[in-house]
Amino acid sequence: MQLHAEPAGTVDSPRRAAPEPLLSLHGIGKRFLAVTALQGVSFELRRGEVHAVCGENGAGKSTLMKIVSGQLQPDEGHIAFKGTRTRFASTREAEAAGIAMIHQELNLVPHLSVAENIFLAREPRRGWWIDRAKLQAGATACLQRLGVDIAPAQQVRTLSVAQRQMVEIAKALSLNAEVLIMDEPTSSLTETETAQLFKVIHELKRAGVGVVYISHRLDEMAHIVDRVTVLRDGRHVSTDDFAATTVDSIVERMVGRPLEDKFPPATRVPTTEVLMSVRGLARKQVFEGIGFELRRGEILGFAGLLGAGRTEAARAVFGADLPDAGTVQLGDQVLRIRSPRDAIRHGIAYLSEDRKHDGLAIDMPLVHNVSMANMAAVSGRAGFIRFKDEEASARRFVDSLAIRTPSARQLVRLLSGGNQQKVVIAKWLFRDSRVLFFDEPTRGIDVGAKYAIYQLLDELAAQGIGVVLISSELPEILGMTDRVAVFHAGHITGTLDTRSTSQEEIMHFASGRPARAAA
C-alpha cells in the first residue's frame, strides 16, 4: 500500500516516554463459560506511542481491549492507568477517565444524524435544550480533522460502511482521550482515507496520546506503529519494537507456523463464455451507464474510491436497491429482478460489506444463519426443518472454514468479527449459486483466515461459478482477480486485465482519468 506518512518512531517522539507506562495490564484472564478467551496476558502502553496488537480471529485482541474500555470485567489480573490500579465498571467510566475505543463493529444509531452520533449523551446544551449550533460546529470540526466530506446533519443510516467508520473515528476523537483504542479502523477505508487517518494518528502521538492499534492489514503498520504485541489462543506470545521485526515473523507468531504466500496459486481457468452481462444500469444520482461482463470461471474485481458506486451497483444487480434503468442477463435469459428473492431464485448471491445489518441474524444461532438462504435443503415435504441435517450442514462449513465456535448452536453475536464474516460466507456457499458478489469478504479477518477464503474463491471459480470481488485493498484485487472494473463517480472508467496492470494504473482510472498521460 503506497501511503505517504511519516516513519514510525522518528519525528513523532518530541516527548520522552514517561518512566511509568500510561496503561498497563497484568495477568489478565477472561472466560466465557467453557471457553478461555484470555489467560495471563500482560501489556503496556506508553505515552505518545502506537502499540499494535496482532493475532488471528479469536486470539483475544478485542476481548482484551473491551476489558480496558470497561465493556467487560476480567476474571483474573488487574489494570493500572497512569500508575493507579483501577477497574472500569462501564465504558462511560473509562471515557470519563480518558480511554476511548473505536469498535470494529460500528456502534452508531442509524436514525440519528452524524452530529448527534458523534456527541451522543454528551450533547452541548443551552439550559434544558441541546445547543444545535455548537453540536453542528463540533461535529464539523471533528470531520474536517479527518478530511472527510460528510454533512453533520445527514442521518447515519444513509451512509456507506466506510463513511460510518469515519463517523465512529470522529466520535472517538471528540472525546480528547489520553488512550485511544482503534479496532480495525481502516478495514473499510480506501488508501486515501487511510492516509488521512494516519496523519491524525501522527498528530495524536505528538500530543502524547497512547494509541492501541488492532489491524489485520499488517503492511500498513510500518507507517505508524512503534511496538507490536502478538496474541495467540488468548495468550501473550511476544512484544517487540516494530522496527526490529518483520511482517513475516509477526504472521508466523500469529498463526504458529510459516505462511509462505499471501495468495494461493490459481487453479481456475477462466473461459470466454459470458455468464452474466449487465448493460446500462442506472440509479438516479448514484450511478449511470454501468456495464460489465462476468465470464464463467473468472474472478472479476470491482475497485474504486469511497462513493464510486461499486457496492451500489452490486446491490442493484441483486435487487436490494432497484435501478431506474438497465438490463441484467444471465446466460441467454434476461432477468427481471425486483427483490433479493428474485436474484437468489436465479442463482445470484450477494455477501454484504455490512455483515451485522445485511448479512446475519446476530441473535440467532450459527446453524440457522447458515441455512436461512436455503431452507428447502434442510426441510421435509411438509416444510418442517430436519434439525439433524441442518446441524450437519452447518458443522461441515464450521470445519471447512475453520470457524472458531464452541458449538454450531452458538449465538452469532458471541462470535468474533472475523468468524461472523465466515458464517455469512457459509450461508451463501450452502446456496447453489451461479454468480457470487463478495463485498469486502476479508474485512476484519486475519491473514491465516484470509488465505482460506482466497482458496474458497478460487475453488468456486474453478467450478465454473462467476465471482465478483469488491475490495478496497488493491493488493487483494491484484492477487485474486482476473480482470478489474474500476469505478469513479458512479461510472466504470475502465476494465483492466489484472495480470498486465498495476496499483498505480488502477488508481489512475479510479481518479477519473481513463487515459494515462505519456511519461
Side-chain angles (χ1 to χ4, degrees):
M1 179 163 55
Q2 303 297 317
L3 295 172
H4 299 288
E6 302 164 56
T10 54
V11 296
D12 283 332
S13 304
R15 305 182 182 188
R16 290 184 177 274
E20 192 169 54
L22 175 61
L23 174 72
S24 59
L25 288 73
H26 303 276
I28 298 296
K30 183 65 180 178
R31 288 176 297 277
F32 298 98
L33 299 177
V35 178
T36 299
L38 296 169
Q39 186 171 349
V41 175
S42 297
F43 173 84
E44 288 187 349
L45 176 68
R46 302 165 184 163
R47 287 190 180 275
E49 82 160 337
V50 176
H51 194 140
V53 180
C54 298
E56 292 189 280
N57 293 114
K61 308 181 302 296
S62 295
T63 300
L64 187 67
M65 292 305 118
K66 286 177 180 178
I67 288 173
V68 173
S69 61
Q71 297 173 69
L72 296 173
Q73 301 301 311
D75 298 321
E76 301 165 354
H78 67 272
I79 302 170
F81 182 50
K82 295 191 288 188
T84 302
R85 187 164 168 169
T86 187
R87 177 178 292 206
F88 302 115
S90 66
T91 54
R92 181 165 292 187
E93 278 191 17
E95 289 174 356
I99 298 175
M101 183 170 178
I102 300 167
H103 296 271
Q104 176 185 353
E105 302 300 334
L106 307 182
N107 289 322
L108 300 173
V109 183
H111 64 275
L112 294 182
S113 71
V114 169
E116 288 166 335
N117 269 278
I118 290 175
F119 292 100
L120 188 63
R122 301 179 292 112
E123 300 89 348
R125 294 188 174 272
R126 183 186 300 165
W128 290 97
W129 310 103
I130 294 175
D131 190 327
R132 291 287 171 182
K134 284 187 177 180
L135 182 72
Q136 296 290 317
T140 299
C142 291
L143 294 168
Q144 287 179 343
R145 187 178 182 185
L146 288 172
V148 294
D149 184 21
I150 301 174
Q154 190 171 352
Q155 283 193 342
V156 163
R157 64 183 176 85
T158 66
L159 303 179
S160 69
V161 172
Q163 289 174 318
R164 290 180 213 171
Q165 182 74 73
M166 297 303 274
V167 173
E168 189 79 63
I169 294 168
K171 178 180 176 181
L173 292 179
S174 73
L175 293 165
N176 296 316
E178 293 181 75
V179 171
L180 186 57
I181 302 166
M182 296 185 166
D183 192 354
E184 298 288 352
T186 65
S187 61
S188 60
L189 304 185
T190 64
E191 290 193 16
T192 301
E193 295 155 349
T194 298
Q196 182 60 36
L197 175 61
F198 285 0
K199 289 181 182 179
V200 174
I201 290 175
H202 283 292
E203 292 176 9
L204 294 171
K205 289 176 67 175
R206 281 190 286 267
V209 174
V211 178
V212 181
Y213 193 84
I214 301 173
S215 178
H216 292 307
R217 294 182 174 183
L218 302 183
D219 290 333
E220 72 185 18
M221 290 185 179
H223 300 278
I224 53 169
V225 170
D226 299 296
R227 289 193 296 160
V228 55
T229 288
V230 176
L231 302 181
R232 186 169 71 243
D233 297 329
R235 296 173 180 267
H236 176 273
V237 174
S238 63
T239 296
D240 298 285
D241 288 339
F242 193 85
T245 188
T246 65
V247 169
D248 287 343
S249 64
I250 292 171
V251 171
E252 186 171 339
R253 278 173 269 159
M254 284 171 54
V255 302
R257 66 187 188 282
L259 198 62
E260 301 296 336
D261 299 301
K262 292 182 180 178
F263 303 101
T267 62
R268 63 190 182 275
V269 181
T271 69
T272 58
E273 178 188 349
V274 176
L275 180 61
M276 171 184 278
S277 176
V278 174
R279 293 285 179 267
L281 201 66
R283 187 167 165 235
K284 189 175 181 182
Q285 297 182 332
V286 180
F287 56 81
E288 63 176 331
I290 298 297
F292 63 89
E293 290 183 346
L294 176 63
R295 299 165 185 165
R296 183 178 298 279
E298 84 164 336
I299 300 179
L300 174 67
F302 278 9
L305 302 176
L306 173 65
R310 304 169 307 169
T311 291
E312 291 79 3
R315 286 176 58 87
V317 172
F318 186 63
D321 299 316
L322 294 182
D324 301 314
T327 61
V328 177
Q329 184 171 332
L330 193 61
D332 297 328
Q333 183 182 9
V334 177
L335 307 183
R336 177 179 172 82
I337 298 175
R338 307 299 296 173
S339 70
R341 180 174 293 180
D342 293 335
I344 294 169
R345 189 174 65 252
H346 288 297
I348 301 172
Y350 171 66
L351 188 149
S352 169
E353 62 176 335
D354 188 351
R355 57 178 170 258
K356 286 182 69 175
H357 186 266
D358 297 323
L360 294 167
I362 61 171
D363 288 317
M364 290 176 65
L366 179 156
V367 61
H368 297 333
N369 274 272
V370 170
S371 62
M372 66 170 57
N374 195 14
M375 294 301 299
V378 292
S379 300
R381 291 184 179 179
F384 294 103
I385 297 173
R386 300 190 302 268
F387 292 109
K388 286 186 179 180
D389 290 348
E390 184 186 37
E391 183 151 1
S393 299
R395 286 301 322 176
R396 188 171 73 250
F397 289 109
V398 167
D399 294 338
S400 63
L401 296 179
I403 300 173
R404 293 192 178 186
T405 176
S407 164
R409 296 285 170 183
Q410 177 81 315
L411 295 181
V412 167
R413 64 180 172 82
L414 299 179
L415 301 178
S416 68
N419 285 303
Q420 289 179 353
Q421 185 75 310
K422 292 181 187 180
V423 174
V424 184
I425 294 173
K427 177 181 73 173
W428 290 120
L429 293 181
F430 187 49
R431 180 82 194 189
D432 186 17
S433 302
R434 299 169 63 189
V435 173
L436 291 165
F437 284 87
F438 286 90
D439 198 347
E440 305 286 2
T442 62
R443 175 177 172 245
I445 291 181
D446 63 71
V447 289
K450 276 186 178 183
Y451 192 88
I453 289 173
Y454 294 150
Q455 285 181 312
L456 277 169
L457 297 183
D458 178 68
E459 290 168 6
L460 290 168
Q463 294 169 21
I465 295 171
V467 176
V468 178
L469 173 60
I470 306 170
S471 177
S472 300
E473 296 189 44
L474 291 185
E476 185 170 83
I477 289 288
L478 291 172
M480 281 304 302
T481 68
D482 301 293
R483 293 182 303 134
V484 54
V486 187
F487 285 69
H488 169 75
H491 298 81
I492 292 179
T493 53
T495 300
L496 311 172
D497 187 322
T498 306
R499 291 169 297 181
S500 58
T501 189
S502 63
Q503 291 193 42
E504 291 74 20
E505 185 174 30
I506 292 173
M507 287 303 299
H508 193 83
F509 279 82
S511 300
R513 295 169 289 173
R516 179 180 290 280

